[in-house]
């Protein structure tokens, strides 16, 4: 069985409008040194999500860049699991089709034995606010993060099980997840960065951990300091 967050901020709202459920990325990260290991030995290696020419022209961050920002040696400490090593770290240059538009949603995932963390950039038109979050999850809390509008909320992962031959695929409610959506820019003109974390074996994670992760990870994302460019959605082929 695999676990996915039920949706990512802007994607989830678009999915709601389509009366559908949108999933997001998958993947994992690095950690801190112990027993004399070097930084290279200690960190999981990011794979996937390489930037395309369209990403560069539009000023979008790539899945590989998000993975590099998330895949820091201190992540295990920020998660409160010092000593754990990540099992994987990956990036993805995905997108979501909404009518004739294709909304870029590059993402990264880092997995530990205890936790999984995902970081997604969603280049949609949705502002980060409480009303939008109410469509996605529950226990919504608004605040400023890194001087940008942000919203915490609780959601649920989606469990997917299937036979080895791919038949009899079933989706079930997974484990609780905590999410933090932060506006792409201080003016909240649309789009977001979203961090989602969950305990792999169930139980509610401490959402305050997300704030610590955001304050370490988001400033490292290329373009975050000046506010990421807001690209035009590309037509689907």
């Amino acid at each position: 069985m695999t676990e996915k967050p039920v949706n990512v901020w802007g994607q989830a709202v678009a999915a709601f409008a389509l009366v559908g459920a949108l999933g997001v990325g998958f993947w994992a990260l690095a950690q801190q040194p112990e027993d004399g290991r070097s930084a290279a030995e200690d960190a999981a290696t990011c794979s996937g999500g390489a930037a395309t020419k369209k990403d560069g022209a539009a000023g979008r961050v790539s899945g590989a860049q998000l993975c590099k920002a998330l895949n820091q040696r201190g992540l295990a400490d920020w998660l409160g699991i010092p000593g754990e090593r990540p099992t994987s770290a990956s990036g993805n240059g995905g997108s979501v089709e909404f009518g004739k538009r294709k909304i870029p949603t590059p993402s990264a995932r880092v997995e530990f034995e205890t936790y999984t963390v995902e970081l997604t950039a969603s280049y949609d038109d949705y502002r980060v606010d409480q009303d939008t979050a109410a469509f996605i999850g529950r226990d919504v809390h608004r605040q400023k993060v890194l001087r940008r509008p942000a919203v915490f909320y609780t959601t649920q992962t989606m469990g997917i099980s299937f036979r080895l031959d791919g038949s009899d695929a079933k989706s079930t409610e997974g484990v609780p997840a905590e999410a933090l959506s932060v506006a792409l820019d201080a003016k909240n003109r649309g789009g977001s960065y979203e961090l989602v974390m969950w305990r792999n074996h169930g139980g509610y994670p401490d959402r305050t951990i997300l704030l610590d992760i955001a304050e370490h990870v988001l400033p490292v994302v290329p373009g975050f300091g000046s506010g990421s460019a807001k690209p035009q959605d590309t037509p689907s082929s």
Side-chain angles (χ1 to χ4, degrees), residues 183-203:
L184 277 183
D185 59 68
K187 293 183 178 180
N188 200 12
R189 292 174 291 187
S192 63
Y193 298 101
E194 179 164 281
L195 280 162
V196 183
M197 61 176 284
W198 62 90
R199 289 182 173 273
N200 297 326
H201 305 295

Side-chain angles (χ1 to χ4, degrees), residues 53-207:
K53 290 183 179 179
K54 286 185 178 180
D55 291 332
R60 294 192 296 260
V61 68
S62 68
Q65 289 171 321
L66 291 175
C67 188
K68 184 177 180 179
L70 185 60
N71 190 26
Q72 296 184 44
R73 288 168 53 191
L75 185 59
D77 283 343
W78 307 330
L79 285 167
I81 50 172
E84 274 198 39
R85 300 182 67 183
T87 58
S88 62
S90 304
N92 180 47
S95 62
V96 172
E97 291 192 15
F98 184 46
K100 294 184 178 181
R101 295 191 305 168
K102 186 176 289 186
I103 300 172
T105 55
S107 58
R109 174 185 280 195
V110 171
E111 297 182 27
F112 291 87
E113 175 64 26
T114 303
Y115 282 105
T116 296
V117 185
E118 288 194 356
L119 171 62
T120 302
S122 187
Y123 293 96
D124 53 47
D125 297 322
Y126 296 100
R127 293 166 56 88
V128 173
D129 58 37
Q130 285 181 292
D131 291 337
T132 306
F135 286 117
I136 304 171
R138 59 188 186 278
D139 192 19
V140 177
H141 173 69
R142 181 178 62 188
Q143 74 173 70
K144 288 274 190 177
V145 173
L146 297 169
R147 296 194 291 270
R148 302 186 186 196
V151 177
F152 284 100
Y153 65 93
T154 301
T155 184
Q156 203 86 15
T157 64
M158 180 177 63
I160 302 176
S161 62
F162 49 86
R163 295 180 181 275
L164 291 178
D165 61 5
S167 64
D168 294 332
K170 298 178 181 179
S171 61
T172 59
E173 189 176 83
V175 300
E178 292 295 334
L180 171 63
S181 290
V182 181
L184 277 183
D185 59 68
K187 293 183 178 180
N188 200 12
R189 292 174 291 187
S192 63
Y193 298 101
E194 179 164 281
L195 280 162
V196 183
M197 61 176 284
W198 62 90
R199 289 182 173 273
N200 297 326
H201 305 295
Y204 282 90
D206 181 356
R207 67 169 42 172

Side-chain angles (χ1 to χ4, degrees), residues 201-212:
H201 305 295
Y204 282 90
D206 181 356
R207 67 169 42 172
T208 61
I209 292 173
L210 283 174
L211 182 59
D212 198 19

Side-chain angles (χ1 to χ4, degrees), residues 23-47:
V24 204
F26 321 6
W27 313 280
L29 155 63
Q31 176 199 310
Q32 69 178 41
E34 61 180 16
D35 301 329
R37 292 196 304 270
S38 69
E41 292 172 329
D42 187 71
T45 301
C46 285
S47 62

